[in-house]
Amino acid sequence: MPPGTTLAADAPTLSAANTGFMLICSALVMIMTPGLAFFYGGMVRVKSALNMLMMSFISLGIVTILWVLYGFSVAFGSDHGGVLGWNGDFVGLSGIGLTQLWDGYTIPIYVFAVFQLMFAIITPALISGALADRVKFTAWALFIALWATLVYFPVAHWVWGAGGWAYDLGVIDFAGGTAVHINAGAAALGVILVIGKRVGFKKDPMRPHSLPLVMLGAGLLWFGWFGFNAGSWLGNDDGVGAVMFVNTQVATAAAMLAWLVYEKIRHGAFTTLGAASGAVAGLVAITPSGGAISPLGAIAVGAIAGLVCAMAVGLKYRLGYDDSLDVVGVHLVGGVVGSLLIGLFATGGVQSDAKGLFYGGGLDQLGKQAAGVFGVLAYSLAASAVLAFLIDKAMGMRVPEDDEVSGIDQVQHAETAYDFSGAGGGTVRPTSPAPAHETAPRKVDA
């Protein structure tokens, strides 16, 4: 039998178990976008909270429609030159059979398409954290549409599409270290270099207005990330997805602890923001690497990512770029760390036989990882900066300075996050004297 020939009896058949599992994973990845909205929304000042939420939520609308119309075809259609995909049957998802399987797997194409849709939605939403307080909502919506079309869809094909140049090179990216996190982090850097700093950057305190919301968002991200990572193996038939699930938990825990230890040594306290940020750094780093390493390797990857990202978030003050919520420091840096460490810690015994330097594989895989990392980084950085520049020239990307100072929520959305009008402090007086027990001061124990 010639290599690659599959007998009819051996052809995959639809698995109800894998199909159900992947639908659940798709829902888990979807909930990550609202989780991201809360994570970012809690980190901004109160006057920008709703805008931050909306910058994530709008991606659910825009990217979904673009994905159905042509995005899935560009990302996962038949290869053209290692750069783009295209399949007319995928346009509008109109030429796909009800039980037609994704090639080589036991799940329908519809299930694969909706799972990958959730990745496409959250990736541009990640960029928004770098742009807090200062971007017009209409300009942001246009940026999402153009960026998804010109950057995310092609890069997804490079990394995951059969025939994509990174895919054929052998770059390992289990669930999105390059296609999602480096892609979004580099894009964030490109845009903020164009639009500039917030009013009062490095002068005014810009503290999170709700750390409980940050922790809630981080928890939702951590929860949804199990679907993001374990689901990327597209089934449960050989145990690789289970290893990825375990490694996701292990690396996230290690990164959170490493960040907190660094924070205590450097700043003298264990903060909730540090715990949340460290967890996200670990999730980012294990995303590309978790299917290639052991749980002990996951501890190393998580700890390294937590430490490096904790140090990296301060670079914006030294270098002068205003990455509002540390998208560059966490997602770009964490994605680079996780992707490159595959070249050191890959065991050759999980998702593939590729081995890293520490397991006798030499520098070959590290070189492949570096090519994928810096290829995606350079393209996304340049393309995103050009898009931001063109949109800025056409319609202006930033709100006026007065609107930024007074609050972008009221100006862009005609709403505020919190209504304090019923919280007391009004001028209404009681019509009769209050009972003595209500006016006497309460005794407070020393």
Side-chain angles (χ1 to χ4, degrees), residues 146-191:
L146 294 175
W147 189 85
T149 300
L150 299 175
V151 181
Y152 182 80
F153 299 158
V155 170
H157 181 75
W158 298 355
V159 175
W160 293 319
W165 69 262
Y167 181 94
D168 282 354
L169 181 62
V171 176
I172 293 175
D173 185 354
F174 195 97
T178 53
V180 176
H181 297 289
I182 293 173
N183 201 5
L189 182 58
V191 176

Side-chain angles (χ1 to χ4, degrees), residues 222 226 245-255 286 294-300 302:
W222 195 332
F226 290 115
F245 193 107
V246 171
N247 284 345
T248 299
Q249 177 67 18
V250 170
T252 307
I286 202 63
S294 69
L296 287 177
I299 294 176

Side-chain angles (χ1 to χ4, degrees), residues 99-120:
T99 58
Q100 185 178 349
L101 300 182
W102 184 242
D103 190 27
Y105 293 89
T106 59
I107 61 173
I109 294 176
Y110 276 118
V111 175
F112 178 75
V114 78
F115 180 68
Q116 287 295 334
L117 164 62
M118 303 309 173
F119 283 67

Side-chain angles (χ1 to χ4, degrees), residues 170 172 233 240 243 247 289-295 297 341-362 364-365 369:
I172 293 175
W233 200 239
V240 174
V243 173
N247 284 345
S289 60
I293 64 178
S294 69
L341 288 179
I342 294 170
L344 303 181
F345 292 108
T347 66
V350 191
Q351 74 176 90
S352 72
D353 59 3
K355 293 183 178 181
L357 178 64
F358 296 161
Y359 288 83
D364 182 60
Q365 191 60 43
Q369 295 304 121

Side-chain angles (χ1 to χ4, degrees), residues 154-233:
V155 170
H157 181 75
W158 298 355
V159 175
W160 293 319
W165 69 262
Y167 181 94
D168 282 354
L169 181 62
V171 176
I172 293 175
D173 185 354
F174 195 97
T178 53
V180 176
H181 297 289
I182 293 173
N183 201 5
L189 182 58
V191 176
I192 58 182
L193 291 177
V194 171
I195 67 171
K197 308 173 183 66
R198 288 168 291 178
V199 175
F201 176 64
K202 293 202 293 186
K203 297 178 182 178
D204 300 337
M206 298 180 180
R207 300 186 185 93
H209 89 278
S210 177
L211 287 168
L213 279 187
V214 174
M215 296 296 279
L216 172 63
L220 288 171
L221 285 169
W222 195 332
F223 175 68
W225 224 292
F226 290 115
F228 194 85
N229 281 357
S232 289
W233 200 239

Side-chain angles (χ1 to χ4, degrees), residues 22-41:
M22 290 306 301
L23 289 172
I24 292 170
C25 287
S26 300
L28 286 171
V29 182
M30 180 270 162
I31 204 65
M32 290 173 68
T33 298
L36 180 73
F38 282 117
F39 181 69
Y40 282 167

